[in-house]
Amino acid sequence: MGKIFLWILGGALLATGAFFIPEQSGSMWPSLFLSSSAVLIYLAAFCFVWLKKIQSATKRKAIGWTLGILVVFSGISAAISYESSQRQKETLVTIRSTIETGIIQNYVNEPLLKTLRAHAQGSGDSNDFGKLFRAEYDSLITEEGMLAYDKDRDDNTVFVYMAKASADSLVLIGESAYLKGESSDFKNHSGETGRYQVKGILTSGGIDYERAN
């Protein structure tokens, strides 16, 4: 009885220890795969040691087949769960990417549209895009030329920069710390590389919106 207890305790400690070996990076699957492998090794050793102690060949086969079926069905269930989690992850990434691009476009377009509207209405220095823009957003512009949208949020991944604000044109750069651009070698406006980046350009002809990376 004491040996059985030690085997059970040893198996529990083995599975638990294996679970915490992989780096906890947000996904539990590496830990689950490693702990499952440890459990399989444990079961194989347990069967090798204890099944041969059973005198009845029929009982040994019954126990062996039962354990084998449990392992197979557990493996199938794990594979299905893993595939389902991967599909859900891809869906969430797609949703997040769509939301992120929409936020960037909105953050870039809103100042351009307000400046264009002020220009059309002839308020203030109506022929100077730079002055019209600064009259509305100067308090949000940092020393680095960034518009401090959501400056109180620690998890903000969207950044908008004023690249140019002259009398005849206004250029804003939208950049994402979450989305990857088309080229990993692209030099972003912030000095980072490989990020998704778009550009909004306001001139007397209207607003042009283009993806830079």
Side-chain angles (χ1 to χ4, degrees):
M1 188 66 180
K3 289 183 178 180
I4 291 292
F5 175 77
L6 289 176
W7 270 88
I8 294 174
L9 179 62
L13 292 175
L14 178 64
T16 303
F19 183 87
F20 289 103
I21 289 176
E23 181 181 354
Q24 303 302 309
S25 57
S27 174
M28 293 182 60
W29 285 107
S31 296
L32 289 174
F33 284 140
L34 189 59
S35 60
S36 297
S37 300
V39 170
L40 285 176
I41 294 173
Y42 167 80
L43 284 176
F46 183 84
C47 290
F48 179 79
V49 172
W50 290 100
L51 282 183
K52 65 182 182 180
K53 295 181 179 295
I54 299 175
Q55 299 298 322
S56 172
T58 302
K59 289 183 178 180
R60 286 200 302 269
K61 288 182 180 180
I63 295 173
W65 276 105
T66 300
L67 290 175
I69 291 172
L70 287 174
V71 169
V72 169
F73 277 98
S74 296
I76 293 173
S77 177
I80 293 173
S81 298
Y82 178 75
E83 182 66 25
S84 177
S85 71
Q86 292 300 107
R87 287 198 301 269
Q88 290 177 1
K89 181 180 178 180
E90 292 173 0
T91 300
L92 290 175
V93 169
T94 300
I95 293 173
R96 171 67 187 274
S97 299
T98 302
I99 294 173
E100 188 94 349
T101 54
I103 292 174
I104 293 176
Q105 184 169 355
N106 181 66
Y107 278 6
V108 171
N109 277 345
E110 182 181 355
L112 297 177
L113 288 172
K114 281 190 175 181
T115 304
L116 180 60
R117 189 178 300 115
H119 178 271
Q121 292 173 349
S123 58
D125 296 303
S126 58
N127 292 323
D128 193 320
F129 286 118
K131 287 184 177 180
L132 290 172
F133 172 75
R134 289 183 180 279
E136 180 72 26
Y137 293 97
D138 192 58
S139 62
L140 294 179
I141 302 174
T142 67
E143 293 181 359
E144 296 79 18
M146 183 174 71
L147 270 70
Y149 282 118
D150 295 337
K151 58 183 178 181
D152 296 328
R153 284 183 55 190
D154 295 331
D155 61 341
N156 186 33
T157 57
V158 174
F159 305 96
V160 178
Y161 298 90
M162 181 191 67
K164 181 182 179 182
S166 64
D168 59 351
S169 65
L170 173 63
V171 179
L172 300 181
I173 301 292
E175 185 178 314
S176 172
Y178 172 77
L179 299 174
K180 294 182 179 179
E182 295 175 343
S183 172
S184 59
D185 298 325
F186 179 83
K187 187 74 171 180
N188 292 98
H189 185 83
S190 64
E192 300 290 339
T193 56
R195 289 180 172 181
Y196 175 89
Q197 180 171 304
V198 293
K199 180 189 294 185
I201 306 170
L202 171 61
T203 64
S204 57
I207 297 175
D208 289 325
Y209 189 81
E210 60 184 46
R211 177 171 178 174
N213 187 41

